[in-house]
Amino acid sequence: AQKVTQAQTEISVVEKEDVTLDCVYETRDTTYYLFWYKQPPSGELVFLIRRNSFDEQNEISGRYSWNFQKSTSSFNFTITASQVVDSAVYFCAPSDVYSGAGSYQLTFGKGTKLSVIP
Amino acid sequence: DAMVIQNPRYQVTQFGKPVTLSCSQTLNHNVMYWYQQKSSQAPKLLFHYYDKDFNNEADTPDNFQSRRPNTSFCFLDIRSPGLGDAAMYLCATSRDLSGPTYNEQFFGPGTRLTVL
């Protein structure tokens, strides 16, 4: 089973500032996956990234980047040059490799609410 | 291009009056999940279907049931809603052990349930 901590409950930044959302997880699995999801005010959870535990390369996608540090069990998410549309709740979610019965159990953190002020 | 559809988006019911929430998907995914998300909390998995096989989470109350008549549709039935069941209910799907996105969950927009 996994456990995840998103220590930042709420963050406010001014538009164009960079912001980093922290995620620290615990797992007994040697192989696992890590996800980030975005939940805008509309409510739908939007997939952002999936990272498997044996790939420690950092990843960049446009203004988004992720820093995976297996040694410290962290998977932090940075938004560069933030925009008002980035305002949302962001969830970090580790997942086991396979839970059986065809499912992949996501363990969601409590989320970080990001407000980008124009 | 909607992939996971939830109806209605907002549902109001009365205390104790049975209510059904629906979810449909155009992805042809094997697995469908139901989550409950209370205000300012993380989504909590209630149960999931792998094809027709139902898998209940240990701490899901008996008040919550689910049906999956075919691959595309899945229903969440709340037999006797209490005030504490007011929440956002999220449906998600995933494919089984194949393909590059095999363990990504695709979420619907959710149904916000109000219990009066």
Side-chain angles (χ1 to χ4, degrees):
Chain A
Q2 284 84 12
K3 181 181 175 183
V4 57
T5 301
Q6 293 182 256
Q8 305 144 309
T9 305
E10 292 193 42
I11 301 177
S12 290
V13 298
V14 176
E15 199 171 20
K16 297 185 183 177
E17 286 185 347
D18 299 346
V19 60
T20 295
L21 310 183
D22 298 332
C23 172
V24 175
Y25 61 91
E26 295 176 30
T27 180
R28 295 181 181 177
D29 298 329
T30 54
T31 304
Y32 49 90
Y33 288 87
L34 297 163
F35 292 80
W36 275 93
Y37 280 86
K38 172 183 179 180
Q39 189 174 39
S42 59
E44 181 176 351
L45 279 162
V46 178
F47 166 81
L48 295 177
I49 190 172
R50 176 185 64 182
R51 170 54 51 85
N52 62 47
S53 55
F54 45 88
D55 180 2
E56 291 196 61
Q57 283 192 350
N58 291 327
E59 185 161 341
I60 298 174
S61 176
R63 296 185 297 107
Y64 296 167
S65 62
W66 290 269
N67 183 354
F68 177 36
Q69 298 285 338
K70 196 170 183 178
S71 60
T72 57
S73 298
S74 67
F75 188 42
N76 297 337
F77 171 35
T78 297
I79 302 174
T80 303
S82 59
Q83 300 175 3
V84 173
V85 294
D86 296 327
S87 297
V89 180
Y90 290 85
F91 291 96
C92 177
S95 170
D96 51 17
V97 174
Y98 183 61
S99 301
S103 76
Y104 303 90
Q105 300 278 12
L106 286 172
T107 303
F108 285 93
K110 292 187 176 180
T112 297
K113 183 177 181 181
L114 174 65
S115 298
V116 181
I117 304 164
Chain B
D1 283 18
M3 295 186 291
V4 183
I5 303 160
Q6 291 189 244
N7 286 308
R9 294 292 308 275
Y10 300 90
Q11 177 74 55
V12 179
T13 190
Q14 291 181 332
F15 183 93
K17 184 175 181 181
V19 65
T20 294
L21 309 181
S22 74
C23 176
S24 63
Q25 53 132 340
T26 60
L27 297 162
N28 204 33
H29 282 173
N30 303 81
V31 193
M32 294 187 77
Y33 308 79
W34 278 105
Y35 290 85
Q36 179 193 64
Q37 186 181 23
K38 295 188 177 180
S39 182
S40 301
Q41 294 186 21
K44 177 181 178 300
L45 182 65
L46 295 173
F47 27 59
H48 76 274
Y49 272 95
Y50 178 54
D51 292 330
K52 287 191 174 294
D53 293 332
F54 177 69
N55 298 273
N56 201 26
E57 293 300 299
D59 56 355
T60 298
D62 293 339
N63 199 24
F64 292 87
Q65 305 285 324
S66 187
R67 296 170 283 134
R68 189 178 185 187
N70 53 53
T71 300
S72 300
F73 286 86
C74 194
F75 300 99
L76 170 62
D77 300 309
I78 308 177
R79 293 192 297 187
S80 182
L83 298 179
D85 297 328
M88 174 78 88
Y89 290 88
L90 296 162
C91 175
T93 71
S94 67
R95 62 170 72 248
D96 62 7
L97 296 170
S98 61
T101 62
Y102 70 91
N103 62 349
E104 176 188 334
Q105 291 188 22
F106 294 80
F107 284 84
T111 294
R112 186 169 297 281
L113 178 68
T114 300
V115 181
L116 300 176

